[in-house]
Amino acid sequence: MVVTAVVVVSSSGVQIARKIAIHFQASLHGKFDECDILIEKYPDHLRSLFIDKKPIIFIGALGILVRLLAPVITKKQYDPPVVVVAEDASSVIPVLGGHSGANELAEQIGQLIDGRVTITTASDLHFNVTLDTPPEGWHLQHYGVYKKFMAELLNGASIRMSNRPAWLENSSLPFSNNGKLSINVTEKQTAPDESSLIYSPECLAVGIGCERNVTTEEVFDLVKTTLSKHTLCPDSVAIIVSIDLKMDEEALQQLSLKLKKPLRF
């Protein structure tokens, strides 16, 4: 993970902030001479970093950070990693974006400064896995059902699942053949079900042939329509492919950028 900013609010925290910034090759933000980027107004500066989804390491009190960021916090799936470090380096707490990198970042900081790391996300604590943020190459189809699913799981429900992916093998999830809940893996687009988490692996190659100078909108609509026709989940697309004669086709380049998928010939 690329850490964008280490933010310090007190002179007593500058030393530990500088150590962390150097380790992560990040810029140090604050009002002090030692800082790389000088801050005029902490609320505006922090909120701007957060809105831009920049990972933040905040050296200071947790309460201060919560008050500063509160107006711009929305849905947790949009949160960048935000970690608080006590000025005396005694504690490290992932505050926001725990499953988008903050937990891992906190562990790294804890090792660096020999501080106590406090992880509070439920799935990590109880099951040693982050179900709402699967590893790279995997996607949770219906994020909206996660809260109800996790509530049932924490209340003692077990899970049915066949053919577990490697990233779930070492978890402490309560699997059972008669589980009330289920976890399924498929490249197909599914309907939401509060008793089931559906994960889509990136496993599809989209092959495209097109006329010269076709528009990006036409190609995008074709891909979208084709996936929908075959009930395939767009998140399962792993790669876009075409023949080498199309290497200079602008629409294919733009499609790759739009879908955030590599293009190969």
Side-chain angles (χ1 to χ4, degrees):
M1 178 193 301
V2 177
V3 177
T4 302
V6 178
V7 181
V8 60
V9 296
S10 171
S11 59
S12 59
V14 170
Q15 184 176 356
I16 192 65
R18 171 57 67 187
K19 179 177 182 178
I20 294 171
I22 290 173
H23 177 80
F24 288 101
Q25 299 181 339
S27 54
L28 181 57
H29 300 226
K31 292 186 175 182
F32 312 101
D33 293 339
E34 299 90 339
C35 296
D36 304 308
I37 297 177
L38 295 178
I39 297 176
E40 292 186 8
K41 296 181 179 179
Y42 278 98
D44 293 344
H45 191 81
L46 276 164
R47 291 166 191 168
S48 178
L49 290 171
F50 187 85
I51 290 171
D52 291 340
K53 300 188 182 302
K54 306 297 187 183
I56 301 169
I57 300 174
F58 182 83
I59 314 301
L62 174 59
I64 293 175
L65 178 65
V66 170
R67 292 187 188 95
L68 291 176
L69 289 182
V72 293
I73 297 173
T74 55
K75 296 181 179 180
K76 72 175 186 176
Q77 58 263 46
Y78 303 138
D79 293 342
V82 179
V83 176
V84 164
V85 179
E87 292 178 355
D88 63 357
S90 61
S91 300
V92 183
I93 306 172
V95 181
L96 296 167
H99 291 166
S100 59
N103 288 353
E104 181 181 357
L105 179 59
E107 294 285 2
Q108 294 174 12
I109 296 171
Q111 292 178 8
L112 174 67
I113 65 175
D114 195 27
R116 184 180 69 252
V117 179
T118 303
I119 305 294
T120 61
T121 44
S123 59
D124 292 83
L125 286 175
H126 295 277
F127 308 114
N128 193 36
V129 68
T130 55
L131 288 175
D132 59 341
T133 309
E136 185 176 358
W138 291 81
H139 302 271
L140 178 60
Q141 278 199 25
H142 308 291
Y143 193 87
V145 308
Y146 175 79
K147 185 176 180 179
K148 180 66 178 296
F149 183 97
M150 183 55 64
E152 292 285 349
L153 190 57
L154 291 172
N155 283 330
S158 56
I159 301 171
R160 303 186 315 276
M161 185 178 191
S162 58
N163 302 320
R164 297 177 209 168
W167 61 277
L168 289 179
E169 285 295 337
N170 295 321
S171 72
S172 303
L173 291 168
F175 289 111
S176 168
N177 292 333
N178 300 312
K180 177 181 179 181
L181 305 173
S182 67
I183 293 179
N184 297 286
V185 174
T186 180
E187 73 280 3
K188 293 286 189 177
Q189 185 65 52
T190 65
D193 178 353
E194 290 185 340
S195 67
S196 180
L197 294 184
I198 309 294
Y199 293 97
S200 294
E202 294 181 7
C203 60
L204 300 177
V206 175
I208 300 178
C210 61
E211 295 181 355
R212 181 63 65 183
N213 298 322
V214 68
T215 67
T216 302
E217 290 72 22
E218 287 178 291
V219 174
F220 179 72
D221 288 344
L222 173 63
V223 171
K224 183 178 179 181
T225 300
T226 302
L227 292 173
S228 177
K229 178 181 178 180
H230 296 279
T231 326
L232 294 171
C233 179
D235 286 333
S236 281
V237 174
I239 191 171
I240 302 165
V241 296
S242 191
I243 58 175
D244 54 8
L245 290 176
K246 297 295 181 180
M247 292 182 68
D248 62 346
E249 195 68 57
E250 180 65 18
L252 297 185
Q253 302 292 340
Q254 292 302 315
L255 177 68
S256 175
L257 293 174
K258 192 177 184 71
L259 296 181
K260 298 181 181 180
K261 303 295 181 181
L263 175 61
R264 298 290 183 267
F265 300 93

